[in-house]
């Protein structure tokens, strides 16, 4: 299964400072303006972000309402996926991570009382994971173009209409173990800064934005990462 | 209320870290009662909490205010122990907290732990992916008044329910309040798990614990 480990994820302080989840208080913004570059330097210096992705292109055998069957016998019971990926000849099962080191650093910051730094580092880590997901979609666009086809938008277990129980199957198909991702008993990915993706490839695939995914999400009302734009990275 | 300690409350509430720490240090150096000083700091923290709940402040402000309080406490607490009035810094009770088994998310739990700590609770943090037996053993050992269960994903709700059922079976449920938080908890989930309350953010957790502490005082 293909593995990607050459992500180029740039992040500027301004992108973090623009987040809706941060307010406009002058003093806290001054503090963040000095702290964020320090955190970005630390992340860079200590190589705390180690982005990797693994994926598989899987032949679609059949799509009927509520179920998506793959060559080889794997089945996803997912009404929304079967609807939105209708027409796909290939299903991409993918998984993206930025590694475990950053979460260790965040926990350490909490433990030594640097809580503002910990919260900011968490935001930075999430933004970098979202950027890695966007990069992954671009790689899949290239795969689709090579086949003279199109890639759909992305879905994931846990999205509305895609039962979270599909996570085990998706990670197995994507070869998550090859890049060090495992699942806890309740389906939590370890490292926690990881995400799975399902993308259809076909002649006429729908392309939807992350904004549309967020519109359908039952968590929308209280999600701090709710997207108002076309990509995760633009979602500020 | 003296002008000086009103000023301290305002400096904390307005995120003036340098000013707040300097004024607190000056007050302590001039013999101000360290216990009272920490009470003023908590009053400043209350203002920050209210601004957070009203949407004026966000998580960074909560964290920075907490860091100010921690920094001031480092100087004040040893003075409290040494002082003639004696006694330990105010302790509102023991809270046992952990992320339930099967779940590895700790950012929310860490934020709640920090906020409870700076608001005067002794917090025992059991970490992440905490087995049910660890909760039971720790309740027996530390006898908390409140247990906080954290879990991010929907599947963690079953772990919360299992943990609460086990606490009940062990005969420990009647003496403690249990709050849950993280991800998509709501009153339906609270009812499903058997918890007493749920919180949507760190300040909710503090408010719940304060309410329970006042009810039993």
């Amino acid at each position: 299964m293909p593995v990607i480990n050459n992500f180029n994820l740039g992040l500027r302080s301004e992108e973090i400072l623009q987040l809706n989840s941060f307010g406009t208080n002058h003093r806290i913004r001054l503090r963040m303006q000095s702290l964020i570059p320090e955190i970005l330097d630390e992340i860079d210096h200590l190589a705390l972000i180690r982005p990797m992705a693994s994926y598989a292109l899987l032949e679609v055998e059949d799509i009927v309402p509520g179920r998506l069957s793959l060559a080889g016998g794997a089945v996803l019971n997912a009404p929304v996926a079967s609807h939105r990926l209708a027409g796909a000849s290939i299903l991409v099962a993918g998984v993206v991570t930025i590694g475990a080191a950053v979460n260790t650093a965040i926990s350490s910051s909490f433990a030594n009382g640097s809580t503002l730094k910990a919260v900011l580092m968490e935001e930075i880590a999430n933004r970098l994971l979202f950027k890695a997901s966007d990069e992954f979609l671009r790689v899949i666009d290239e795969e689709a173009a090579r086949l003279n086809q199109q890639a759909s938008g992305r879905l994931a277990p846990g999205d509305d209409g895609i039962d979270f129980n599909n996570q085990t199957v998706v990670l197995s198909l994507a070869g998550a173990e090859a890049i060090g991702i495992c699942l806890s008993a309740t389906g939590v990915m370890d490292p926690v800064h990881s995400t799975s993706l399902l993308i259809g490839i076909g002649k006429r695939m729908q392309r939807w934005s992350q904004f549309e995914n967020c519109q359908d999400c039952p968590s929308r009302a209280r999600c701090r990462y709710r997207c108002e734009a076309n990509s995760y990275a633009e979602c500020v | 209320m003296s002008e000086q300690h009103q000023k301290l409350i305002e400096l904390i509430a307005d995120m003036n870290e340098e000013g707040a720490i300097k004024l607190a240090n000056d007050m302590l150096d001039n013999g101000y009662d360290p216990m009272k000083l920490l009470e003023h700091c908590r009053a400043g923290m209350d203002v920050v909490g209210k601004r957070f709940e009203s949407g004026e402040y966000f998580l960074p402000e909560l964290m920075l205010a907490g860091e100010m309080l921690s920094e001031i406490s480092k100087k004040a607490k040893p003075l409290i122990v040494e002082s003639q009035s004696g006694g330990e810094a105010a302790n509102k009770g023991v809270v046992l907290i952990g992320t339930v088994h099967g779940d590895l998310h700790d950012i929310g739990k860490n934020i709640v732990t920090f906020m409870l700590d700076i608001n005067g609770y002794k917090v025992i943090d059991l970490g992440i992916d905490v087995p049910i037996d660890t909760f039971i053993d720790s309740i027996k050992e530390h006898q908390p008044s409140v247990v906080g269960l954290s879990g991010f994903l929907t599947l963690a709700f079953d772990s919360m329910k299992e943990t609460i059922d086990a606490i009940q079976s062990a005969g420990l449920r009647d003496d403690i309040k249990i709050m849950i938080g993280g991800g998509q908890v709501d009153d339906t989930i609270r009812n499903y798990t058997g918890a007493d309350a749920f919180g949507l953010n760190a300040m909710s957790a503090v408010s719940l614990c304060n309410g329970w502490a006042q009810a039993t005082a």
Side-chain angles (χ1 to χ4, degrees), chain A residues 21 31 107 115-116 184 186 222, chain B residues 17 64 67 102 106 155 185:
Chain A
S21 50
R31 176 71 187 268
S107 297
T115 56
L116 178 59
S184 79
T186 55
R222 62 172 93 153
Chain B
E17 183 183 23
L64 183 58
E67 286 187 17
D106 65 353
L155 294 171
V185 294

Side-chain angles (χ1 to χ4, degrees), chain A residues 131-189:
Chain A
K131 284 197 171 208
S133 301
D134 286 343
E135 284 296 306
F136 178 78
L137 188 55
R138 274 189 274 277
V139 170
I140 299 307
D141 280 335
E142 289 170 10
E143 290 269 20
R146 230 173 11 87
L147 300 167
N148 288 321
Q149 298 191 38
Q150 298 170 328
S152 72
R154 71 194 123 190
L155 298 168
D159 284 353
D160 193 29
I162 307 179
D163 196 289
F164 195 71
N165 289 321
N166 287 302
Q167 188 78 295
T168 309
V169 176
V170 173
L171 291 202
S172 171
L173 293 171
E177 276 187 22
I179 57 170
I181 297 175
C182 58
L183 272 184
S184 79
T186 55
V188 179
M189 277 187 272

Side-chain angles (χ1 to χ4, degrees), chain A residues 20-23 25 27-28 31-32 107 110 113-116 119 122 164 184 186-188 190 192 219 222, chain B residues 14-17 57-58 60-61 63-64 67 102 104-107 110-111 114 153 155 159 183-185 200:
Chain A
N20 286 334
S21 50
F22 295 152
N25 179 279
R27 289 186 186 278
I28 192 80
R31 176 71 187 268
M32 290 196 298
S107 297
F110 263 114
S114 302
T115 56
L116 178 59
V119 164
E122 170 75 11
F164 195 71
S184 79
T186 55
V188 179
D190 183 9
V192 291
S219 306
R222 62 172 93 153
Chain B
D14 294 340
M15 298 291 112
N16 189 332
E17 183 183 23
Y57 277 178
F58 294 78
E61 282 92 339
M63 296 297 98
L64 183 58
E67 286 187 17
L104 309 171
H105 291 92
D106 65 353
I107 183 100
N110 286 342
I111 292 169
F114 178 63
L153 297 176
L155 294 171
S159 297
Q184 296 309 304
V185 294
L200 297 178

Side-chain angles (χ1 to χ4, degrees), chain B residues 2-210:
Chain B
S2 77
E3 194 178 309
Q4 214 175 21
H5 75 242
Q6 180 59 40
K7 180 74 180 166
L8 179 61
I9 292 170
E10 285 172 13
L11 289 170
I12 291 173
D14 294 340
M15 298 291 112
N16 189 332
E17 183 183 23
E18 196 178 330
I21 292 171
K22 183 178 183 314
L23 177 59
N25 285 338
D26 287 349
M27 289 167 78
L28 290 171
D29 289 343
N30 290 316
Y32 200 90
D33 183 339
M35 191 91 89
K36 281 186 181 168
L37 184 106
L38 286 184
E39 283 170 18
H40 306 324
C41 290
R42 293 214 180 99
M45 200 65 220
D46 286 345
V47 177
V48 173
K50 286 190 175 77
R51 289 180 184 175
F52 175 79
E53 284 170 343
S54 73
E56 181 183 349
Y57 277 178
F58 294 78
L59 205 47
E61 282 92 339
L62 268 189
M63 296 297 98
L64 183 58
E67 286 187 17
M68 284 186 237
L69 214 161
S70 282
E71 188 62 30
I72 294 167
S73 296
K74 277 182 198 166
K75 182 159 182 171
K77 282 184 176 174
L79 296 172
I80 292 170
V81 175
E82 287 171 12
S83 70
Q84 291 299 314
S85 55
E88 293 186 354
N91 184 345
K92 294 181 183 172
V94 178
V95 180
L96 191 72
I97 194 166
T99 301
V100 293
H101 67 89
D103 201 329
L104 309 171
H105 291 92
D106 65 353
I107 183 100
K109 184 261 301 167
N110 286 342
I111 292 169
V112 170
T113 298
F114 178 63
M115 293 308 295
L116 287 170
D117 180 56
I118 58 161
N119 276 281
Y121 292 90
K122 180 182 178 187
V123 187
I124 313 287
D125 182 354
L126 300 178
I128 57 172
D129 194 14
V130 180
I132 291 171
D133 287 348
T134 304
F135 273 108
I136 301 290
D137 293 344
S138 300
I139 291 169
K140 288 176 181 169
E141 181 185 350
H142 299 288
Q143 300 187 318
S145 50
V146 179
V147 173
L149 303 180
S150 173
F152 184 68
L153 297 176
T154 51
L155 294 171
F157 302 152
D158 286 328
S159 297
M160 290 175 175
K161 178 174 170 50
E162 290 165 16
T163 304
I164 294 172
D165 286 349
I167 292 170
Q168 176 86 45
S169 298
L172 301 167
R173 182 71 177 90
D174 292 345
D175 297 328
I176 55 171
K177 294 291 185 186
I178 299 180
M179 59 182 182
I180 58 172
Q184 296 309 304
V185 294
D186 57 18
D187 199 51
T188 306
I189 304 303
R190 181 208 60 74
N191 189 46
Y192 171 72
T193 59
D196 294 297
F198 70 97
L200 297 178
N201 55 52
M203 288 314 297
S204 307
V206 173
S207 297
L208 286 171
C209 290
N210 284 345

